[in-house]
Amino acid sequence: MQLQTHLAIDESLSGRVVHLREGYAQVVLPTHRAMLADRRGLIHGGFLFGAADYAAMAAVNDPNVVLGAAEIRFLAPVRKGDTVIFEAEVQSRKGKKRIVKVQGKIEGKKVFQGNFTAFVPDRHILE
């Protein structure tokens, strides 16, 4: 299956899709200096959210998919040098609405979880 959405994403900041199938995506996010929130090595949560959102949109995999809402939890800190693996799976489809569950793990330990509500309009949101 080929990725059909978010093709201009900067993978160095949002991760890379490594597995993709109908209703499922896995995104790997290696963390680095540009993502730091402080001098102690803490990764800013915005980068984790961005990678999780990317995984959710890839799981839907429609060129017009957009995020409508998200309910997320940061479960553990992420440090510079950690690699976070995000798995996203579409839980429900109703009309144009998709609910996607996303989990982020480091070496099997869950550090992020969320439910993303996405919409698939008939045309690009900017048209």
Side-chain angles (χ1 to χ4, degrees), residues 44-59:
H44 187 281
F47 294 101
L48 304 174
F49 179 84
D53 173 53
Y54 183 37
M57 299 306 103

Side-chain angles (χ1 to χ4, degrees), residues 73-94:
R73 288 195 169 85
F74 297 99
L75 304 173
V78 176
R79 293 170 176 81
K80 178 184 162 205
D82 287 341
T83 297
V84 187
I85 299 172
F86 290 92
E87 291 187 289
E89 189 165 4
V90 176
Q91 301 292 297
S92 69
R93 294 175 172 90
K94 186 174 182 180

Side-chain angles (χ1 to χ4, degrees), residues 6 62-68 119-127:
H6 290 58
D62 185 284
N64 298 331
V65 64
V66 293
L67 180 64
F119 295 93
V120 181
D122 294 330
R123 59 184 184 207
H124 193 280
I125 195 75
L126 296 179
E127 291 179 0

Side-chain angles (χ1 to χ4, degrees), residues 3-17 27-29 47 49-55 57-58:
L3 185 64
Q4 298 180 41
T5 190
H6 290 58
L7 299 177
I9 286 288
D10 182 338
E11 291 182 350
S12 72
L13 299 174
S14 297
R16 181 172 55 92
V17 176
V27 169
V28 173
L29 178 70
F47 294 101
F49 179 84
D53 173 53
Y54 183 37
M57 299 306 103

